[in-house]
Amino acid sequence: TMMMMMLRVLLVLAGLCALCSLATASRRGHDSLGHRHTSMHRHRPRVGKEGQVLHRSKRGWVWNQFFVIEEYTGPDPVLVGRLHSDVDSGNGNIKYILSGEGAGTIFVIDDKTGNIHATKTLDREEQAQYTLTAQAVDRDTNKPLEPPSEFIVKVQDINDNPPEFLHGPYYARVPEMSNVGTSVMQVTATDADDPTYGNSARLVYSILQGQPYFSVEPQTGIIRTALPNMDREARQEYDVVIQAKDMGGHMGGLSGTTEVKITLTDVNDNPPKFPQSVYSMSVSEDKVEGEEVGRLKAKDPDMGDNGLVNYRLTDGDGLGMFVLSTDSETREAIIKLKKRVDFETKRSYTLKVEGYNVHVDPQYLAWGPYKDEATIKISVEDADEPPVFVAPSYTFEVEENAPAGTQVGRVHAKDTDIDNNPVRYMIPRYTDVEQFFSVNSEDGMITTTRPLDRETQAWHNISVSATEIGGHHQDTKVRVNIKVKDRNDNAPEFATNNEVLMCENVAPGKMIETVSAVDKDEMAHRQHFTFSLAPEVAHNHNFSLKDNRDSTASIYVLRQGFSRLTQDVYFLPVEINDNGVPAMSSTSTLTVRVCSCDSKDTILSCNVEPYVLPAGLSTGALIAILACIVILLVIVVLFVALRRQKKEPLIVFEEEDIRENIITYDDEGGGEEDTEAFDIATLQNPDGANGFHPRKDMKPELQFPLRPGGHPAANSVDVDDFIKTRVAEADSDPTAPPYDSIQIYGYEGRGSLAGSLSSLESVTTESDLDYDYLHSWGPRFKKLADLYGTKDCSVHDGDDDDDC
C-alpha cells in the first residue's frame, strides 16, 4: 500500500515536472531544437499517510502525455520524449516497441534507449493529437516485461493560419439619408488556429477603405453608416474593404480582407421640378380636335415610383380649348386640342400645369411640397381657310315652265381670314349633269338655263362651291335644294286602260263600269275631276254616263240585244276635266267588248269564233296532218341528197380528165397510110414545118402570129432556137394546156456534126456523106462506123473499088 501511494505521488510529480519543463521551453523559445521533451524514471518509494511506504505492485513504468510543436522545419528529427522502464538496467536486454497512430511513419522509437522522434512536420489543423501504445519486451525472448500502455502526443499550435472571409465579396443595401450608425450588414472571418490556446484565433475587425462613410465594429464585424444624409442622387455605390487580424490585433498577427459593395437605395427625397417656369407653344387654326400642340416634362431624380410624376391643368383661360394627357413611356405631359381654335376670334391662350409625385414618403414631408407648377402660353397662328357660307344649306322654289334666265335664289359666302378676299362661285358639273342651272360667279345668283318640268323632276339638288380669289384655291361647298312649283299643264286621263267586258244579254239600265281619272299635276284643294260623253256620242242609244261628283263616273247600258256576231267592240269617248286654273281637259276612249255569258252572267268567251274551220275537225286531227307533211318533206330532202352524191364521182372524173390534159382521138388507125392524126413529116425533117401548126387535139378560137424573128431560117434549123420558139408560143397561147404540161416534139436535131441519125430518112434517100471518121470516135461509135463507114458494093455498077 505504501508502494502504491508512493507511485501515485511520483506520477503527480512527474506531471508537474513535465508541465514546468513545457513552460520553460515555451519561455526559452522551445530550447535549441524547438521541441519539448519529457523523461520517465522509476519512482522512488515515498511515505504515505500513517507512515506507510507505497510500492508498485506489477507495473514498473508509466507513460506521460507528450507535446510536439507544429510546423517544425529543423534539420534533425524532433525529440518528442523518452520512454524508460524500471526493469531496464541499462544492459540492453530490454526492447521498446511503439505502435498506434503514426507509429513507424511519423513517430519512430529507439528500441534500446526509448527515445521517440517525429520524422515529419506536423500540422495541428490537420490532426491535433496522436494516440500511441508503448510496450517493453525482452530482447531475446520477446516476452513482455511490462503491460502495454497508451499515451497521447499532442501537436502544439502556432499562429500559422490567417483569418479568412469564406463568403466574400459581400453585397449590401442601405437606404439613402439613413441616420448615423444604421446597420448595413455583418461580416465574419474564420481562423483555423486553436482558439483555446493563445491569441492565434482572436480576431479584430477594422475598415481599410470606405471611410468616412462607413465604420465597422472591431469585435463583431457589423458595418454601420458613419455619415448623415448620404444622397443617392450624388453617389449611389460604395466599395468598402474590411480587414480581420488575429493575435487580438497586435503586431505580428496575420490578417485577411474582403470587399463589401454597398448600394444606397432610393427614397422619395426630391420633388419634381420643371426646367422652365414658362413654356411657349403655338397651334394653327386649321388643326382639328385631338391634334398635339406641344409637350413638357418635369424632372425628378428619384427612381421608380419615387420619381413618378403626374400632371394636371390647374388654371388658365384655355381650359375649355385644350386637354392634357401623359405619355406612358416618356412620362411627358402632352397638350392636345379639345376644340378648334379661331385666329380671328382669339389669338392666344394661357394654361397652368402642375407636376406632382404620386408616391410621397411621410418621413420626408417636411422637406417641401412634392410638386411644381409651370405656365404655358399658346399662340394661335392664322391659316388660309376656305370661305364660309352664311347658311349651312339653301332651299329655293322656281315656277314650272319658267323661261330660261329665271332667278332661283342667291347664295353668299365670305372669307373669314383677315385679308377678306373676294369669293368666286361655281356649280360643280357632277351635281347638275344636265346643266339646268347656272350661277353668277361674283354675286352667287342662281338662274335657270331652260324651262323646268315638275312632272319629270320635282326637286333639283345641286351644290355651289365658293373659292377665294388669290388664296390657296380652297373651296367650300353648300347644298342647294330647288323645288319646281307645279302648274296645271297636264290634262287628266283614265286611271286604267282596261277594257270593259259586257254580256250579250245585259239588261238595259245596268251599270257596267265605274271609271276614275289621274292627273300628273298636283291636285289643289277642292279640285276634282268631272266626266261627260264626247259631243259626237252624246246622244248614242247604247250607253250613257253619269258623273258621281267624286272624281268618278258610272257607265250604264241603254238597250239590250247586243250580239258579238253583229258587233263585238264598242268605243265610247269620254271627256275629262280637272277644273284647275287654268282648266285642262282631255278625251279618253273607253273600250267595251261584248262577251258570251251563261244564265248567271258568268263570262264564257269574248273572242270571235273561227267559223271557217270544219265543225268535226279536232286538234288531234290537225296534229296528225302536220306530222304527215313533215315526214314527206324529210323523204324528199333525203332523195335529193342521195342523187347529188351519185353524180359527184362523174363530175370529179371529168374534172380530172381536163386537169391531167389527157388527149383522146375518136378515130380508128389506118396503118401507114393514115396521116390524119399526126403529120409524121415533122419527125423526118424539121425543115418541112412551114409556118405555125396548131395542136390538133384542141381547136383554138384565136390565132396569135409568131413573134418577129421567131421563125427559124430555111437551112439553119437549131434545136435550141426551135424549143425556145415553141415554149414562147405555148406561154402566150391562152388556149394551150397548162404551163406545166409536157410538150413532146418528135424530130431529130440539126446542126450536129453527125447529122441526122434517123433510119427513116436513110431508107428513102441516099447519103453522099463520108462516115469513115466514125472509126476515130472511139468504141462507143463502133456500131455506127460498121453500119455507115463501108459502102455496099451491091448497089453500085460493079466497079471493083477498094472501098467495097
Side-chain angles (χ1 to χ4, degrees):
T1 304
M2 287 297 294
M3 183 62 68
M4 293 299 295
M5 292 178 63
M6 290 177 65
L7 287 174
R8 291 175 181 173
V9 172
L10 288 174
L11 288 174
V12 173
L13 292 175
L16 291 175
C17 290
L19 291 176
C20 292
S21 163
L22 184 60
T24 304
S26 299
R27 288 194 299 268
R28 295 179 180 178
H30 303 106
D31 68 26
S32 62
L33 297 176
H35 293 274
R36 306 184 188 95
H37 54 85
T38 304
S39 298
M40 301 295 295
H41 305 282
R42 179 175 295 276
H43 303 289
R44 296 178 181 178
R46 58 176 301 184
V47 179
K49 294 181 181 180
E50 297 179 357
Q52 295 180 357
V53 179
L54 301 177
H55 296 279
R56 188 165 66 93
S57 60
K58 292 183 178 180
R59 294 186 59 183
W61 62 318
V62 175
W63 318 114
N64 289 310
Q65 182 173 267
F66 298 145
F67 294 88
V68 179
I69 298 175
E70 67 171 336
E71 303 295 342
Y72 174 73
T73 58
D76 300 324
V78 179
L79 179 61
V80 178
R82 181 183 180 187
L83 301 179
H84 187 73
S85 177
D86 291 343
V87 298
D88 187 2
S89 61
N91 55 7
N93 294 328
I94 296 178
K95 180 181 179 181
Y96 295 99
I97 299 174
L98 185 65
S99 62
E101 295 179 337
T105 56
I106 300 176
F107 303 101
V108 296
I109 187 171
D110 188 345
D111 59 352
K112 292 182 180 181
T113 62
N115 291 333
I116 302 173
H117 290 83
T119 62
K120 295 182 179 180
T121 301
L122 302 181
D123 187 2
R124 189 202 67 84
E125 287 72 36
E126 182 178 347
Q127 187 167 347
Q129 66 181 18
Y130 297 86
T131 302
L132 300 171
T133 301
Q135 189 176 9
V137 298
D138 186 87
R139 186 177 294 273
D140 296 330
T141 63
N142 286 331
K143 182 179 181 181
L145 300 177
E146 293 283 353
S149 180
E150 289 185 353
F151 67 95
I152 296 173
V153 178
K154 287 190 175 182
V155 181
Q156 185 64 45
D157 181 52
I158 65 173
N159 188 21
D160 60 343
N161 289 281
E164 292 182 356
F165 292 91
L166 301 179
H167 303 289
Y170 297 89
Y171 298 90
R173 300 166 67 89
V174 64
E176 63 173 332
M177 299 298 172
S178 298
N179 296 326
V180 175
T182 301
S183 175
V184 179
M185 73 174 302
Q186 183 180 14
V187 294
T188 304
T190 59
D191 195 323
D193 294 325
D194 189 359
T196 62
Y197 177 75
N199 294 326
S200 297
R202 183 185 173 192
L203 304 180
V204 175
Y205 298 94
S206 62
I207 183 168
L208 299 183
Q209 179 181 320
Q211 296 174 330
Y213 306 103
F214 300 95
S215 63
V216 63
E217 292 184 357
Q219 305 301 327
T220 61
I222 297 176
I223 303 174
R224 298 181 183 276
T225 59
L227 281 181
N229 301 329
M230 285 194 294
D231 191 5
R232 183 201 66 82
E233 288 73 33
R235 182 177 178 183
Q236 184 174 357
E237 294 183 350
Y238 296 84
D239 293 325
V240 179
V241 178
I242 302 297
Q243 175 184 265
K245 190 174 184 180
D246 58 10
M247 300 300 291
H250 295 96
M251 186 173 294
L254 302 177
S255 63
T257 60
T258 187
E259 292 185 1
V260 181
K261 186 178 289 293
I262 301 176
T263 303
L264 299 182
T265 58
D266 184 66
V267 297
N268 191 8
D269 58 338
N270 294 280
K273 183 70 176 176
F274 286 105
Q276 301 172 218
S277 59
V278 179
Y279 291 84
S280 298
M281 300 179 184
S282 62
V283 60
S284 178
E285 64 176 339
D286 59 352
K287 298 295 183 182
V288 298
E289 295 86 347
E291 290 202 33
E292 181 178 322
V293 178
R295 296 186 175 210
L296 69 159
K297 183 179 181 180
K299 295 183 178 180
D300 191 332
D302 295 325
M303 294 178 61
D305 292 342
N306 295 325
L308 191 63
V309 181
N310 280 3
Y311 305 91
R312 59 191 170 202
L313 295 176
T314 58
D315 196 6
D317 56 0
L319 290 178
M321 305 297 296
F322 302 92
V323 65
L324 184 145
S325 62
T326 303
D327 192 324
S328 59
E329 295 184 0
T330 62
R331 303 307 302 173
E332 293 177 310
I334 305 174
I335 308 298
K336 294 183 179 181
L337 267 179
K338 184 179 181 181
K339 296 180 180 179
R340 297 191 65 169
V341 294
D342 185 12
F343 176 80
E344 289 73 27
T345 304
K346 188 174 178 61
R347 301 187 180 183
S348 65
Y349 295 89
T350 301
L351 293 173
K352 288 187 179 297
V353 180
E354 181 183 82
Y356 60 94
N357 281 142
V358 180
H359 304 281
V360 179
D361 193 341
Q363 183 179 352
Y364 303 100
L365 282 176
W367 291 32
Y370 286 85
K371 59 183 178 180
D372 193 20
E373 192 174 68
T375 301
I376 303 176
K377 293 185 178 180
I378 303 175
S379 60
V380 180
E381 297 179 350
D382 187 23
D384 188 11
E385 299 175 296
V388 177
F389 284 94
V390 296
S393 63
Y394 294 88
T395 301
F396 301 120
E397 292 183 352
V398 62
E399 290 287 342
E400 182 182 14
N401 301 326
T406 302
Q407 293 185 351
V408 178
R410 183 172 179 268
V411 296
H412 178 63
K414 60 181 180 179
D415 183 14
T416 58
D417 298 323
I418 297 177
D419 298 339
N420 195 17
N421 292 325
V423 177
R424 179 177 58 196
Y425 303 93
M426 66 173 293
I427 298 176
R429 287 300 93 189
Y430 66 88
T431 65
D432 185 18
V433 179
E434 299 184 15
Q435 300 183 10
F436 288 109
F437 306 95
S438 64
V439 63
N440 190 299
S441 61
E442 296 180 359
D443 61 4
M445 178 61 70
I446 301 173
T447 57
T448 61
T449 59
R450 59 177 179 268
L452 306 179
D453 185 10
R454 188 203 70 84
E455 287 70 38
T456 303
Q457 188 173 350
W459 283 88
H460 294 267
N461 301 317
I462 66 173
S463 295
V464 177
S465 66
T467 307
E468 261 183 66
I469 299 177
H472 290 82
H473 304 288
Q474 301 183 64
D475 64 339
T476 303
K477 296 180 178 62
V478 68
R479 190 75 171 175
V480 179
N481 304 314
I482 301 174
K483 179 182 179 181
V484 182
K485 298 174 65 177
D486 183 53
R487 292 178 61 96
N488 192 24
D489 58 346
N490 290 277
E493 57 187 8
F494 282 137
T496 60
N497 292 323
N498 298 333
E499 294 181 347
V500 178
L501 304 181
M502 180 185 67
C503 294
E504 289 178 319
N505 55 355
V506 63
K510 183 178 180 180
M511 184 186 69
I512 59 174
E513 184 68 18
T514 299
V515 296
S516 60
V518 293
D519 195 334
K520 295 180 180 179
D521 297 321
E522 292 181 350
M523 296 294 292
H525 183 60
R526 295 183 180 180
Q527 183 178 353
H528 63 280
F529 298 111
T530 58
F531 301 86
S532 62
L533 293 177
E536 61 269 20
V537 294
H539 304 288
N540 73 93
H541 302 287
N542 299 320
F543 305 99
S544 65
L545 182 145
K546 178 184 178 183
D547 191 342
N548 298 325
R549 300 184 180 277
D550 58 354
S551 297
T552 62
S554 299
I555 307 298
Y556 293 91
V557 178
L558 295 179
R559 67 179 181 86
Q560 64 180 359
F562 292 93
S563 174
R564 285 190 300 159
L565 297 178
T566 304
Q567 186 175 353
D568 62 337
V569 177
Y570 293 87
F571 298 101
L572 185 64
V574 178
E575 187 177 290
I576 309 173
N577 194 305
D578 60 5
N579 296 315
V581 180
M584 297 291 293
S585 63
S586 65
T587 300
S588 299
T589 301
L590 184 66
T591 302
V592 181
R593 184 173 294 278
V594 180
C595 303
S596 62
C597 303
D598 56 8
S599 59
K600 297 181 180 179
D601 292 339
T602 301
I603 296 176
L604 299 178
S605 175
C606 296
N607 298 325
V608 179
E609 295 181 359
Y611 295 102
V612 295
L613 294 178
L617 195 60
S618 64
T619 304
L622 291 175
I623 295 174
I625 294 172
L626 292 176
C628 292
I629 294 173
V630 170
I631 292 172
L632 290 175
L633 290 175
V634 171
I635 293 173
V636 171
V637 170
L638 291 176
F639 179 76
V640 173
L642 291 175
R643 288 295 300 272
R644 287 183 179 179
Q645 289 181 358
K646 290 181 179 180
K647 290 181 180 181
E648 283 179 357
L650 296 177
I651 297 175
V652 172
F653 178 77
E654 293 175 0
E655 289 178 354
E656 291 178 353
D657 183 40
I658 297 173
R659 181 174 66 253
E660 295 179 1
N661 197 21
I662 298 175
I663 308 301
T664 304
Y665 298 96
D666 192 11
D667 58 355
E668 294 184 1
E672 294 181 356
E673 298 179 356
D674 184 9
T675 59
E676 293 297 325
F678 192 81
D679 188 5
I680 199 170
T682 303
L683 295 176
Q684 296 175 355
N685 186 8
D687 295 335
N690 297 323
F692 175 76
H693 295 279
R695 292 168 59 91
K696 292 184 178 182
D697 55 345
M698 295 181 65
K699 295 181 180 181
E701 297 178 0
L702 298 177
Q703 293 290 340
F704 293 91
L706 292 175
R707 291 183 300 172
H711 187 71
N715 298 320
S716 61
V717 177
D718 186 29
V719 177
D720 186 52
D721 292 339
F722 185 81
I723 292 175
K724 289 181 179 179
T725 302
R726 290 294 184 261
V727 171
E729 291 174 357
D731 290 341
S732 62
D733 185 5
T735 61
Y739 68 93
D740 56 349
S741 297
I742 299 175
Q743 305 292 329
I744 300 174
Y745 300 96
Y747 62 87
E748 298 290 343
R750 183 175 294 277
S752 174
L753 295 177
S756 177
L757 300 180
S758 175
S759 60
L760 298 176
E761 183 177 344
S762 63
V763 175
T764 58
T765 63
E766 294 183 357
S767 176
D768 56 355
L769 295 177
D770 185 6
Y771 296 100
D772 291 339
Y773 58 84
L774 294 176
H775 293 283
S776 63
W777 283 16
R780 292 187 179 183
F781 294 91
K782 187 177 183 301
K783 278 288 184 185
L784 293 176
D786 295 340
L787 292 175
Y788 296 99
T790 303
K791 294 183 179 181
D792 189 0
C793 296
S794 62
V795 298
H796 296 285
D797 54 0
D799 295 336
D800 188 8
D801 297 334
D802 296 337
D803 297 333
C804 298

